[in-house]
Amino acid sequence: YALLAGRVISAWRREFLRDGELTVPTQANHVRALAFGLIAGSLATGCDFHVNAENLAALKQDAARFTLHQKNYLLVEFDEFAIPPSMDQTLHELRLAGLQPVITHPERNPLLRQRLEKIEAWVAEGARVQVTGQSLWGRFGKRAEAFSKTLLDANLVHVIASDGHDVTHRPPVMDQCHG
């Protein structure tokens, strides 16, 4: 297997890497080059954390299971149908536990789009905000595009991410996000 793996990496290097640079600079090729150890950097795991009683209990038992790169950043995704009245307290408790809540793609959530003041308050208390890059150019509709720009104008955006799920329907595309 080691010999086969070496041949695959060598073939990939010949096809996609020239002078330490990717010849086809897609995010997928970047991930492959990192995984093969051909360029400097590292890969990190992570997932959106859906706030509910069961997940909060699991988080208390093993926070690393849910955080980015098993560190302290927690991607918090809100339900599109209700924001629990206890959310302020929940975010506060996450911070007290040493976690850094990052509110993911609020521009795509119809409830959060109506509650800019809540997002402002959560950021003032230490939460961070991540918008989806494709929202900035309308991939998720005009409302998401407009609200992502509202968040940017209010200096409430800390991270712009691809939120890619696959290579067909939700590819990890960021090239149109450069300003």
Side-chain angles (χ1 to χ4, degrees):
Y1 288 112
L3 180 62
L4 178 61
R7 287 180 179 167
V8 167
I9 291 170
S10 291
W12 195 92
R13 180 187 293 123
R14 280 190 308 276
E15 184 70 24
F16 295 104
L17 208 59
R18 298 283 182 273
D19 300 320
E21 298 290 325
L22 292 170
T23 58
V24 182
T26 64
Q27 188 168 1
N29 280 343
H30 191 86
V31 169
R32 286 185 196 102
L34 285 169
F36 291 155
L38 299 175
I39 60 175
S42 63
L43 296 174
T45 59
C47 66
D48 277 324
F49 180 81
H50 297 262
V51 178
N52 60 47
E54 182 180 342
N55 283 348
L56 288 169
L59 182 69
K60 288 179 182 176
Q61 296 298 313
D62 183 14
R65 177 177 159 203
F66 300 100
T67 57
L68 287 180
H69 203 41
Q70 294 73 53
K71 304 295 183 199
N72 68 326
Y73 286 91
L74 183 69
L75 300 177
V76 178
E77 182 169 5
F78 283 78
D79 188 335
E80 293 187 7
F81 304 105
I83 297 173
S86 61
M87 187 52 69
D88 296 354
Q89 183 63 31
T90 299
L91 292 173
H92 179 72
E93 289 174 10
L94 291 173
R95 287 188 305 279
L96 288 178
L99 298 173
Q100 175 61 67
V102 180
I103 300 165
T104 60
H105 43 74
E107 78 283 2
R108 291 170 26 210
N109 184 305
L111 294 177
L112 291 177
R113 285 196 305 256
Q114 297 172 20
R115 293 176 173 81
L116 180 62
E117 73 287 345
K118 282 304 243 181
I119 296 170
E120 290 171 330
W122 293 330
V123 168
E125 289 293 321
R128 297 294 175 251
V129 172
Q130 171 183 299
V131 298
T132 303
Q134 294 179 50
S135 293
L136 295 170
W137 51 270
R139 164 70 168 78
F140 294 100
K142 296 288 183 199
R143 290 179 182 147
E145 179 180 5
F147 195 65
S148 63
K149 291 176 180 175
T150 296
L151 292 168
L152 281 169
D153 290 343
N155 293 316
L156 295 172
V157 177
H158 303 91
V159 178
I160 298 175
S162 72
D163 198 20
H165 287 213
D166 57 51
V167 295
T168 307
H169 301 97
R170 289 268 294 277
V173 176
M174 293 287 290
D175 36 343
Q176 291 185 338
C177 300
H178 297 284

